[in-house]
Amino acid sequence: MNQKLLKLENLLHFLQTYKYHTVCRQLHSLGQRRTLVQWRHGFSSAYPVWTAQMYAWPWQTDVLIGATLSQYRLLVTKEEKRPRKSQLSSTKTKKEVEVWIGMTVEELARALEKDIDYVYEALLNTAIDIDSLEAHSQLDEIWIKEVIKKAGMKLKWSKLKQDKVRENKDAVRRPQADPALLTPRSPVVTIMGHVDHGKTTLLDKLRKTQVAAMEAGGITQHIGAFLVSLPSGEKITFLDTPGHAAFSAMRARGAQVTDIVVLVVAADDGVMKQTIESIQHAKDAQVPIVLAINKCDKAEADPEKVKKELLAYDVVCEDYGGDVQAVHVSALTGDNLMALAEATTALAEMLELKADPTGPVEGTVIESFTDKGRGPVTTAIIQRGTLRKGSILVAGKSWAKVRLMFDENGKIINEAYPSMPVGIIGWKDLPSAGDEILEVESEARAREVINWRKFEQEQEKNKDDLKILEEKRKEHQEAHRKTREKYGTLHWKKRSFMKYLERKEQRPLKPKEKIERDSNVLPLIIKGDVDGSVEAILNIMDTYDASHECQLDLVHYGVGDISENDVNLAETFDGVIFGFNVNVSNIIQQSAAKKGVKIKLHKIIYRLIEDLQEELSSRMPCTVEEHLIGEASILATFSVTEGKKKIPVAGCRVQKGQLEKQKKFKLIRKGQVIWKGSLTSLKHHKDDISVIKTGMDCGLSLDEEKVEFQVGDEIVCYEEKEVSAKTSWDPGF
């Protein structure tokens, strides 16, 4: 009974919280019609009376308590279940957001399906500087997590999609041939040495041609490959590499495809810079050397001195107990040339040079150029197999169906064997000098190889780009972190003012300033006759180390004659076109003249570089030099009254030269310049004069009244002259 009374008290407390009609509706829903009818008959409109009657009728109280308690239990059960249900539903609908490192504000907003302002609001009251954030600003990992957390979403880090591994479709050299299939071949000999030591003249005598006379300035400009037949019937393939310093890379390439190096050293000059480079290239390629001491016909020739100098570079001649053959020759008179040829063939026999003339062709591009009538042309050395018309070749990222082959004299040939130099026509694009030539079975296979190589190059480029992007991202994050540290503790007003000052310092350049800045840059367009020449020029440009004086900007380079496109590029970038052994049509020249574009043509490479140095110097700002006109010493000081002012005057005597009133002056005291400017007056006795000469006395006053003269000071008269600057770049020759 006590328990029932306790429940009844709880019930009364519950009923007090609801209105009368609500209780009636709840009781009616339970179907307690009988109890409800009896209750209504005894119900009065006064609430306290109803309460008294309920307590007075015990038989009705039990029924009412039972009905109401059951309703109470139902309501309590519903109240307990409701929050659990909503909690489950919210867990189920929690959105998953895919994010990644380096995500920008805009990208994060798009992933959240919100606007950018939502991201800004989520980052309010955090350590990040909201004012510095832009739509493209990258967010650190901590701030990405913060935004996702405040959005009530789930974070998922994006995994980089791994591309399907592509099958290697490249063409490669064949395995080494069976020794039984190898046949003897001619040696490939490279002529190396210093400029003007007689290499080309020596080769001319051997093959009885006049190549040197055709070369501009007598200097070989690119690699030539020639097959020379000796009186004995033996053949030697010569690579005539340039001896000039500019062609170091080409000379290295020549050493890599050669069997023997003939090192030419002039008996009167001895070992020079390019001689040492040639020795190094031969050693790097592990190629034996035959020494040709040239110009032995001269009176001042000293072959023994040459041999001794070469000892310092580990080139030991047979006379000194070494294995290097030394032959004294004269390329000009032809003396002892057969002895040099015999020494070369003897060394070739010792090397037992052999090659496989069967199967697909393998070779190396020696030189490449574009011919107007024949298109891309290459000079190549065949190293394996036999090349025939119709063969399908790949080299670098270019391929060819051999349309035509010719020898060094331009004669059409049908086959090319190992060690034989050959010109090849039929290339779709121009391969680079030094590229490996491989024969493939079909055009489809050639395209497959080229596509694979281009794909591989693209992949490498993408990797490099990703590295650069990652470095830039780290730099950006570091700069952003420093900015936060710099402005993080400042009041927003102070922060805004400091940013305003920074923006003011980074104002756009005025037109005059822009012209001055642009004039300190030299945009260049390089065009050459062959690939090797362009490469040599670019290698020289790589040595440029005076960017602080004038910036060198390579806009474009290529092989072939100068075109309208080159002129348009030069006009766009305000650049200069340098052509090496190329032609320019009259129409192109007229177009360049109208557009104000300079075209500079050269046939000797060091002349081109000298011209480039002059052009660089012309782009540099002129330096101002002071030229002394006269000197005077101050012997006395006094002042002159003009109106209400007292003007200091110096009494001077001219010690050297003369003083000219219209020129500039400076006052020197104890070796220190304390004033620079002009004179307001120059007098001799009481006469105003414009010039006063050595030994004469004068009085003078300055344009600055506050300067005080002292006895013993010096007055120097000078003029300023602009002197053209000269670049400090030294290309090495």
Side-chain angles (χ1 to χ4, degrees):
M1 188 63 184
N2 291 334
Q3 190 176 3
K4 287 182 179 181
L5 288 173
L6 182 62
K7 287 180 180 179
L8 182 59
E9 287 178 3
N10 291 336
L11 175 62
L12 290 174
H13 179 70
F14 172 74
L15 291 175
Q16 286 175 0
T17 62
Y18 289 89
K19 293 182 179 180
Y20 165 70
H21 65 274
T22 306
V23 177
C24 291
R25 188 169 61 252
Q26 290 172 347
L27 294 175
H28 180 70
S29 65
L30 294 171
Q32 303 296 330
R33 297 179 182 274
R34 180 180 174 188
T35 308
L36 186 59
V37 170
Q38 294 174 353
W39 180 44
R40 280 179 178 172
H41 279 292
F43 186 77
S44 168
S45 60
Y47 177 76
V49 178
W50 173 82
T51 309
Q53 287 179 346
M54 190 174 62
Y55 276 98
W57 300 337
W59 63 272
Q60 289 180 350
T61 303
D62 290 339
V63 177
L64 183 61
I65 287 171
T68 310
L69 284 175
S70 64
Q71 177 67 358
Y72 175 74
R73 280 194 295 270
L74 179 64
L75 291 172
V76 170
T77 305
K78 285 182 179 180
E79 288 294 324
E80 288 175 353
K81 287 181 179 179
R82 192 174 292 117
R84 292 177 190 170
K85 186 177 179 181
S86 62
Q87 190 174 1
L88 285 170
S89 63
S90 65
T91 306
K92 287 179 183 177
T93 58
K94 199 169 187 180
K95 186 181 175 183
E96 196 171 56
V97 181
E98 192 172 21
V99 296
W100 58 90
I101 297 293
M103 205 174 193
T104 64
V105 174
E106 189 176 15
E107 288 169 341
L108 182 56
R110 200 181 302 124
L112 292 168
E113 296 180 1
K114 307 279 187 182
D115 57 10
I116 293 175
D117 290 337
Y118 182 86
V119 178
Y120 290 148
E121 289 171 11
L123 292 172
L124 282 172
N125 302 320
T126 60
I128 195 169
D129 183 11
I130 302 293
D131 295 338
S132 65
L133 282 183
E134 301 290 342
H136 55 80
S137 299
Q138 290 184 328
L139 293 169
D140 293 344
E141 183 181 335
I142 184 173
W143 306 124
I144 294 172
K145 288 180 177 178
E146 182 70 20
V147 174
I148 300 294
K149 181 182 176 183
K150 289 189 177 179
M153 298 180 185
K154 190 177 178 183
L155 180 140
K156 178 186 176 184
W157 289 106
S158 173
K159 291 183 179 179
L160 295 174
K161 294 179 181 178
Q162 293 183 349
D163 294 331
K164 187 179 178 182
V165 178
R166 193 165 166 179
E167 186 182 353
N168 191 333
K169 298 288 184 180
D170 201 3
V172 293
R173 285 182 179 265
R174 292 178 284 154
Q176 290 187 351
D178 184 355
L181 299 174
L182 301 179
T183 57
R185 65 173 177 86
S186 303
V188 179
V189 179
T190 300
I191 305 288
M192 286 188 176
H194 192 73
V195 63
D196 198 31
H197 274 201
K199 302 180 302 300
T200 306
T201 310
L202 176 65
L203 195 58
D204 289 343
K205 286 291 181 181
L206 289 169
R207 63 190 176 101
K208 295 181 181 179
T209 58
Q210 293 297 319
V211 174
M214 297 164 59
E215 294 286 358
I219 297 175
T220 305
Q221 301 298 337
H222 53 265
I223 291 178
F226 310 96
L227 187 66
V228 177
S229 297
L230 301 177
S232 60
E234 294 172 322
K235 293 183 178 181
I236 302 175
T237 296
F238 282 98
L239 298 183
D240 182 18
T241 62
H244 199 276
F247 295 93
S248 177
M250 293 166 61
R251 189 163 53 245
R253 186 183 306 122
Q256 288 165 3
V257 296
T258 194
D259 302 310
I260 299 168
V261 166
V262 172
L263 181 64
V264 179
V265 185
D268 55 342
D269 277 352
V271 175
M272 305 293 281
K273 183 179 178 181
Q274 279 77 40
T275 311
I276 300 165
E277 288 180 9
S278 300
I279 294 168
Q280 192 58 49
H281 290 318
K283 286 182 177 179
D284 292 343
Q286 298 181 344
V287 177
I289 293 173
V290 173
L291 177 63
I293 303 176
N294 194 20
K295 301 184 182 182
C296 288
D297 56 316
K298 287 192 173 184
E300 60 270 25
D302 189 356
E304 293 303 316
K305 179 188 173 186
V306 172
K307 293 177 186 177
K308 288 175 182 176
E309 286 178 352
L310 288 171
L311 291 172
Y313 305 100
D314 294 331
V315 177
V316 185
C317 298
E318 291 176 335
D319 298 353
Y320 294 92
D323 56 358
V324 176
Q325 300 178 77
V327 184
H328 300 184
V329 299
S330 172
L332 194 63
T333 61
D335 291 344
N336 230 13
L337 292 188
M338 284 303 102
L340 178 63
E342 287 169 7
T344 305
T345 53
L347 182 57
E349 286 176 8
M350 290 174 61
L351 295 173
E352 296 183 351
L353 301 172
K354 293 183 178 182
D356 177 14
T358 63
V361 170
E362 295 175 7
T364 303
V365 176
I366 298 300
E367 195 51 272
S368 61
F369 58 94
T370 302
D371 187 274
K372 277 188 177 179
R374 299 181 293 183
V377 182
T378 62
T379 303
I381 295 289
I382 306 303
Q383 294 167 312
R384 189 175 181 182
T386 302
L387 182 64
R388 295 179 177 86
K389 186 178 177 181
S391 298
I392 310 297
L393 307 176
V394 292
K397 286 175 282 299
S398 178
W399 69 279
K401 183 175 183 179
V402 180
R403 194 168 74 244
L404 199 67
M405 297 186 297
F406 56 91
D407 62 13
E408 68 275 8
N409 299 315
K411 184 182 175 182
I412 304 299
I413 56 176
N414 296 319
E415 292 182 336
Y417 302 99
S419 296
M420 187 173 174
V422 59
I424 302 170
I425 297 173
W427 294 95
K428 306 301 176 185
D429 296 299
L430 193 68
S432 298
D435 282 348
E436 181 183 62
I437 295 175
L438 297 173
E439 184 180 357
V440 293
E441 56 272 17
S442 65
E443 292 184 21
R445 172 64 180 141
R447 290 191 188 94
E448 188 178 56
V449 171
I450 299 308
N451 289 337
W452 165 258
R453 290 179 178 180
K454 286 179 179 177
F455 167 76
E456 214 171 22
Q457 185 187 34
E458 189 180 341
Q459 292 297 102
E460 288 297 320
K461 186 177 180 298
N462 289 341
K463 285 181 182 177
D464 294 340
D465 289 346
L466 281 173
K467 285 180 183 177
I468 293 168
L469 285 171
E470 183 61 22
E471 288 173 3
K472 292 287 184 187
R473 188 184 70 81
K474 287 180 180 177
E475 287 176 11
H476 175 78
Q477 285 184 337
E478 183 63 21
H480 182 59
R481 185 186 63 78
K482 287 180 179 178
T483 304
R484 284 208 314 266
E485 290 177 357
K486 184 177 179 181
Y487 298 122
T489 57
L490 298 176
H491 187 266
W492 68 270
K493 287 184 178 179
K494 179 70 174 174
R495 184 167 64 235
S496 299
F497 178 68
M498 289 182 70
K499 287 184 177 180
Y500 163 74
L501 292 178
E502 288 179 359
R503 285 195 299 271
K504 191 176 179 182
E505 288 176 5
Q506 298 170 357
R507 72 189 191 283
L509 292 174
K510 294 178 181 177
K512 187 178 178 182
E513 292 174 338
K514 190 175 187 298
I515 290 167
E516 288 177 359
R517 186 191 66 177
D518 292 345
S519 65
N520 216 28
V521 178
L522 175 59
L524 274 185
I525 294 169
I526 304 291
K527 295 299 287 287
D529 58 339
V530 293
D531 189 69
S533 300
V534 176
E535 182 187 7
I537 294 167
L538 298 184
N539 285 340
I540 297 173
M541 288 173 59
D542 284 342
T543 67
Y544 185 69
D545 56 359
S547 295
H548 58 286
E549 298 171 348
C550 181
Q551 188 178 341
L552 198 59
D553 183 15
L554 183 62
V555 176
H556 172 68
Y557 62 89
V559 175
D561 290 341
I562 293 168
S563 65
E564 185 67 32
N565 184 49
D566 299 325
V567 174
N568 291 336
L569 273 173
E571 182 192 19
T572 303
F573 289 93
D574 188 26
V576 181
I577 302 172
F578 281 84
F580 181 75
N581 272 342
V582 294
N583 298 317
V584 189
S585 67
N586 291 332
I587 297 171
I588 300 295
Q589 285 181 341
Q590 291 169 8
S591 174
K594 284 180 182 177
K595 295 175 179 178
V597 173
K598 291 182 187 176
I599 298 178
K600 302 196 172 189
L601 303 177
H602 294 275
K603 292 188 179 295
I604 299 175
I605 197 164
Y606 63 78
R607 299 287 185 207
L608 183 147
I609 300 304
E610 286 174 0
D611 199 352
L612 176 57
Q613 285 177 297
E614 289 176 9
E615 190 64 36
L616 282 164
S617 299
S618 70
R619 297 272 174 142
M620 292 167 56
C622 294
T623 56
V624 178
E625 290 184 358
E626 293 181 359
H627 288 267
L628 182 71
I629 296 173
E631 291 180 5
S633 58
I634 298 177
L635 304 177
T637 62
F638 51 92
S639 60
V640 175
T641 304
E642 287 187 5
K644 294 182 179 180
K645 290 183 180 179
K646 284 190 175 182
I647 298 171
V649 176
C652 306
R653 180 171 292 161
V654 181
Q655 305 290 346
K656 185 191 295 184
Q658 61 187 27
L659 303 186
E660 298 178 21
K661 186 179 178 182
Q662 302 303 321
K663 302 297 182 182
K664 293 188 176 182
F665 288 79
K666 55 185 175 183
L667 179 64
I668 299 175
R669 182 176 297 157
K670 295 180 181 179
Q672 299 291 325
V673 177
I674 61 173
W675 167 86
K676 275 187 178 184
S678 56
L679 302 182
T680 55
S681 68
L682 178 64
K683 293 189 177 186
H684 178 60
H685 300 305
K686 293 183 178 181
D687 301 326
D688 287 323
I689 54 173
S690 58
V691 178
I692 189 161
K693 297 183 179 179
T694 307
M696 297 177 67
D697 294 335
C698 65
L700 55 85
S701 58
L702 312 180
D703 61 358
E704 190 175 336
E705 298 174 2
K706 293 181 180 179
V707 177
E708 294 182 0
F709 297 113
Q710 289 184 11
V711 176
D713 289 352
E714 290 182 4
I715 295 287
V716 176
C717 177
Y718 68 97
E719 63 178 346
E720 291 181 344
K721 288 185 179 179
E722 287 190 349
V723 180
S724 298
K726 191 174 181 181
T727 180
S728 62
W729 174 41
D730 180 13
F733 56 85

